Amino acid sequence: MHSMQKKNKYVLHLFLAFFLVISFFGTSISTKAANDVTPPTLESLKVSHSNVTSGNQVQIQAKVTDDLSGVDYVAITYNAPTGNGSKYTRLYYNESTGLYEGSFTIGEYDAMGIWNIGYIYFYDKLQNSYAYYHNLNSQQKYDSYEYKDLSEYAITVSGNVSDDQAPKLNSLTVTPKEVSKGDTVLISANITDNLSGVDYVAITYNAPTGNGSKYTRLYYNESTGLYEGSFTIGEYDAMGIWNIGYIYFYDKLQNSYAYYHNSNSQQKYDNYEYKNLSDFSFNVKESDSEPPVTKMTTNSNSREWNLSDVQVELNAVDNSTGVAKTEYRINYGDWQEYTAPFKVTLEGQNKVEFRSIDTAGNKETIKSEIVKIDKTSPVTTHSDIPTNWTKKDVSATLSTTDENSGVAKTEYRINNGEWTEYNGSFNSFIEGMNTVDYRSVDNAGNVEAYKSFEVDIDKTVPQTTLSPVKDEWYNSDVTLTLESSDNLSGVARTEYRVNNGDWQAYNGTISISDEGINKVEFRSIDNAGNVEKTKSVEIKIDKTAPTLNVSFDQSVLTDRNHQLVPIKVLVDAKDTLSGVALFELVSVVSNQMDNGKGDGNTSQDIQGAEIGTSDTNFSVRVERSGSGDRVYTVTYKATDNAGNTVTTSQDIVVKQNNSNN
């Protein structure tokens, strides 16, 4: 009972724990409904004053944002430096500033010193929550909260009259000391407090049998200046000495103190002590004989778990004056008079208490038995499993709860195989689609309807093939096609890149138009994330004809009386891409007839020219017909390895001189 001095802090922690639970389960549920699984974000926090005194108001502003459903709740607490007392403030949205704002006032007796943030807590409209707790020594971070040094937002209270002392018990009076059934016991206490004032006083008396007690709240009586209360001795209250269990009191700042009765110990602690309080006991006089004896029977084995309601029958015997009545209660409810067998229907461990009173008023000591009922099957859940295809091994774990009898066993099967008892995580999954069924059985025999989940595993990379490509030079654009396959999760995408450029999604064809040697890389990724090893091919494109220059060792000849003159041809063929495959002599022709007027009646004026070969040596006759120059036109063609060609012609001129024709 001495821990009641911290009830405010306990309530706040309980409140926060409640919302943390709500945020956890609320997030899980609403994720499926709205895809909002992210809690709000605290972007900034501002406290108006760092040094305050009694009557000052502390303004708090927080910028809290949420990406989807919107912020629903923001709250902050400050804890007193003494450990007693705190300030809780709800922050509300101010449209004009766009901030969440709130305030609290420093009271007259608030403790002096540094007040640190206890926590700042917020959640959105789908209960996704987050909290920061002040801790100088820990920076631990969890899913929905973290510990952090929040000292920069502390406030220092000074100039107050700090109240850190509990009230003082000056005197206690209990009258009368001898009582019987129906008598009233009066209690008065002189309790004072040095500053904030007494807020609460309570006392308990314990029955001599150890069963039963009297709790009494003491209220201030202005006419006497005392805290007073009373209780009445009931018909069935035990005879004998009733001693104080405790007397407990605290002031308006929760500074508390308690005395506990103990005749053998005088130990003293910060806010409570053990003391012999026998001087304040009272005696309930005995006037009766032996009480009755009651036995309880059921229609089942009450020590085992039952799948259905249990019927209870009570039988009481009194050997002298007889049984006046038998009564019972279930789970500390109201006492009811027993008239006929009754049923226990509530699931769980039900405490059935019973007793009888004889006609002389002797009350039997309360007896009890536990009736266990469990009508509800256990609930089994599985660990987070990838919802899509995965390329990794998967370990599945099962977690089972049963609020009543407890779990007897959990079992699972994979792909309609044999049921296997669960003894820890399992990962015996094959590549492909695996269906896992699972269920649990509790100790009462309730069998859960089996549930299922899928584990889809694909560790094999997809395969991509390229349309046939020749290992040779092309003289035009080249179109490529890719084909990919994956026997398990399926192909997610196929992609390619050219000459180490950016990867691009393949959408039907790939067109290569750049001249030169183009490196085309390609691969596929399946829906499990398996990435195929990159493959590549070289596409060689040369759309440019080679260059061809032709010259002769003699290009201008003078008429030499019809002689054949050997000609040496210099052929310069070049190609910067695919290279020159060949050059060939296409033709050697003359602009004059082979045997014309005035040419000496010779024939075969062009000799040794092997047309269609790379011949560079031939002879032409040095003669003319008529008065004009004779022109021999020589034509060569060059072809590169891509099939591009170029043709070039050059002339050999036979000029007139003064010799005879």
Side-chain angles (χ1 to χ4, degrees):
M1 195 65 189
H2 56 280
S3 64
M4 287 179 66
Q5 65 164 334
K6 298 181 179 178
K7 72 172 187 176
N8 285 344
K9 184 180 290 186
Y10 172 78
V11 170
L12 287 174
H13 287 176
L14 184 63
F15 171 80
L16 184 57
F18 168 77
F19 278 105
L20 287 174
V21 171
I22 288 297
S23 69
F24 178 82
F25 289 102
T27 300
S28 177
I29 294 168
S30 58
T31 296
K32 299 178 180 177
N35 286 330
D36 184 359
V37 297
T38 304
T41 300
L42 175 64
E43 297 187 8
S44 66
L45 181 64
K46 182 178 179 182
V47 181
S48 61
H49 299 291
S50 59
N51 292 286
V52 291
T53 189
S54 175
N56 288 162
Q57 191 176 69
V58 178
Q59 301 281 348
I60 300 169
Q61 293 180 318
K63 185 174 183 181
V64 183
T65 59
D66 186 75
D67 58 343
L68 289 176
S69 61
V71 179
D72 193 41
Y73 178 92
V74 182
I76 191 169
T77 64
Y78 273 82
N79 292 336
T82 60
N84 290 323
S86 64
K87 299 286 188 181
Y88 163 84
T89 303
R90 173 81 180 270
L91 307 185
Y92 294 91
Y93 186 71
N94 185 334
E95 290 186 356
S96 64
T97 63
L99 302 174
Y100 287 82
E101 300 177 349
S103 65
F104 60 88
T105 302
I106 302 301
E108 180 181 2
Y109 301 115
D110 283 336
M112 289 191 296
I114 297 175
W115 289 61
N116 277 300
I117 288 177
Y119 63 81
I120 181 167
Y121 171 74
F122 40 87
Y123 57 82
D124 64 18
K125 293 176 181 177
L126 287 181
Q127 303 299 313
N128 298 302
S129 69
Y130 204 84
Y132 293 92
Y133 294 88
H134 172 62
N135 194 311
L136 287 172
N137 302 314
S138 172
Q139 304 296 311
Q140 288 178 302
K141 189 172 183 180
Y142 302 93
D143 289 342
S144 60
Y145 65 97
E146 64 181 277
Y147 293 99
K148 192 172 184 179
D149 182 0
L150 301 175
S151 301
E152 63 179 296
Y153 307 109
I155 60 174
T156 301
V157 177
S158 60
N160 272 15
V161 179
S162 295
D163 184 359
D164 56 3
Q165 294 184 11
K168 181 179 180 182
L169 175 64
N170 300 308
S171 65
L172 181 65
T173 304
V174 181
T175 58
K177 293 300 190 74
E178 296 286 331
V179 292
S180 299
K181 295 173 183 178
D183 291 343
T184 298
V185 177
L186 300 175
I187 302 169
S188 60
N190 183 341
I191 299 177
T192 56
D193 186 70
N194 62 334
L195 289 175
S196 60
V198 179
D199 192 42
Y200 178 91
V201 182
I203 192 169
T204 64
Y205 274 84
N206 293 333
T209 60
N211 292 320
S213 65
K214 299 285 188 181
Y215 164 84
T216 301
R217 174 81 180 269
L218 306 185
Y219 294 93
Y220 186 69
N221 185 335
E222 290 185 356
S223 63
T224 63
L226 302 175
Y227 288 84
E228 300 176 347
S230 64
F231 55 84
T232 301
I233 304 302
E235 180 182 3
Y236 305 116
D237 284 337
M239 266 62 71
I241 303 298
W242 288 64
N243 281 302
I244 288 177
Y246 65 80
I247 180 168
Y248 170 77
F249 40 89
Y250 57 79
D251 65 16
K252 292 176 181 177
L253 287 181
Q254 305 296 313
N255 298 300
S256 68
Y257 204 84
Y259 293 92
Y260 295 87
H261 171 64
N262 192 317
S263 58
N264 300 315
S265 173
Q266 304 296 309
Q267 288 178 301
K268 189 173 183 179
Y269 301 91
D270 289 342
N271 62 342
Y272 67 98
E273 63 181 277
Y274 294 99
K275 192 172 184 178
N276 187 350
L277 301 175
S278 301
D279 290 344
F280 309 105
S281 63
F282 60 86
N283 180 36
V284 178
K285 298 176 183 177
E286 290 188 15
S287 58
D288 300 325
S289 58
E290 292 295 321
V293 176
T294 309
K295 292 184 179 180
M296 171 179 150
T297 58
T298 67
N299 63 343
S300 68
N301 187 345
S302 61
R303 290 183 173 82
E304 300 297 332
W305 284 93
N306 298 279
L307 286 167
S308 58
D309 298 343
V310 174
Q311 182 169 290
V312 176
E313 184 174 352
L314 301 176
N315 293 291
V317 176
D318 188 82
N319 294 326
S320 60
T321 58
V323 178
K325 71 174 180 178
T326 299
E327 55 186 7
Y328 69 94
R329 67 178 180 183
I330 302 173
N331 298 327
Y332 304 103
D334 294 333
W335 286 99
Q336 302 178 59
E337 187 169 356
Y338 176 78
T339 57
F342 58 91
K343 286 187 176 181
V344 179
T345 61
L346 187 66
E347 286 191 87
Q349 298 194 51
N350 297 275
K351 185 174 184 180
V352 180
E353 297 175 284
F354 53 93
R355 65 187 178 192
S356 295
I357 301 97
D358 62 20
T359 56
N362 294 303
K363 185 192 309 182
E364 183 181 15
T365 300
I366 296 172
K367 298 177 181 176
S368 65
E369 289 192 25
I370 301 298
V371 175
K372 304 175 183 178
I373 299 176
D374 186 356
K375 308 175 191 176
T376 304
S377 301
V379 176
T380 308
T381 57
H382 64 79
S383 58
D384 287 339
I385 297 296
T387 55
N388 299 314
W389 286 89
T390 180
K391 63 182 180 181
K392 298 179 181 179
D393 290 332
V394 175
S395 289
T397 57
L398 302 177
S399 179
T400 309
T401 58
D402 189 89
E403 294 182 356
N404 295 314
S405 61
V407 180
K409 68 175 180 179
T410 299
E411 54 188 5
Y412 68 93
R413 65 181 179 185
I414 301 175
N415 297 328
N416 291 316
E418 297 293 328
W419 285 100
T420 302
E421 187 165 353
Y422 175 75
N423 291 310
S425 61
F426 56 93
N427 58 4
S428 52
F429 301 115
I430 61 172
E431 268 200 283
M433 300 176 70
N434 298 269
T435 299
V436 181
D437 303 321
Y438 60 98
R439 66 187 179 191
S440 293
V441 182
D442 65 19
N443 288 302
N446 294 297
V447 180
E448 180 184 17
Y450 76 79
K451 294 178 278 191
S452 304
F453 63 87
E454 281 195 359
V455 176
D456 300 331
I457 298 176
D458 181 0
K459 301 179 183 178
T460 305
V461 299
Q463 294 296 319
T464 308
T465 57
L466 177 71
S467 56
V469 175
K470 297 177 182 178
D471 185 17
E472 60 185 36
W473 286 87
Y474 292 84
N475 60 13
S476 61
D477 294 348
V478 177
T479 299
L480 307 175
T481 58
L482 300 175
E483 226 178 85
S484 56
S485 62
D486 189 272
N487 294 329
L488 293 174
S489 62
V491 177
R493 70 180 186 277
T494 298
E495 56 188 12
Y496 71 94
R497 67 178 179 182
V498 180
N499 296 328
N500 294 316
D502 293 333
W503 286 99
Q504 302 179 57
Y506 175 74
N507 291 314
T509 59
I510 304 171
S511 180
I512 308 299
S513 58
D514 290 346
E515 288 190 278
I517 299 176
N518 296 275
K519 183 179 181 181
V520 181
E521 297 173 282
F522 55 94
R523 65 188 180 191
S524 291
I525 299 96
D526 64 21
N527 286 300
N530 295 298
V531 181
E532 180 184 16
K533 185 177 180 181
T534 301
K535 301 174 182 176
S536 65
V537 66
E538 287 187 345
I539 304 298
K540 298 180 283 187
I541 297 177
D542 182 359
K543 298 188 250 183
T544 304
T547 60
L548 178 62
N549 293 307
V550 176
S551 61
F552 310 106
D553 61 344
Q554 300 180 76
S555 60
V556 177
L557 304 175
T558 302
D559 188 355
R560 298 179 185 173
N561 298 319
H562 316 293
Q563 293 180 352
L564 286 170
V565 175
I567 301 298
K568 176 71 174 177
V569 184
L570 300 177
V571 178
D572 182 15
K574 295 179 180 179
D575 191 272
T576 58
L577 292 175
S578 60
V580 177
L582 59 91
F583 68 88
E584 57 184 318
L585 178 62
V586 175
S587 64
V588 182
V589 297
S590 173
N591 65 337
Q592 296 180 356
M593 295 176 58
D594 194 40
N595 190 11
K597 180 181 178 180
D599 66 356
N601 293 321
T602 57
S603 61
Q604 296 182 344
D605 293 343
I606 302 169
Q607 295 183 23
E610 297 182 15
I611 304 303
T613 71
S614 58
D615 188 10
T616 58
N617 294 285
F618 55 85
S619 298
V620 297
R621 193 177 299 280
V622 183
E623 63 182 12
R624 295 178 300 104
S625 177
S627 60
D629 293 338
R630 172 176 282 197
V631 178
Y632 292 99
T633 300
V634 182
T635 301
Y636 276 89
K637 180 174 74 173
T639 304
D640 63 18
N641 286 299
N644 300 297
T645 63
V646 62
T647 302
T648 300
S649 298
Q650 294 291 337
D651 295 336
I652 301 172
V653 180
V654 180
K655 308 230 17 117
Q656 182 182 5
N657 62 13
N658 294 324
S659 62
N660 294 326
N661 287 332

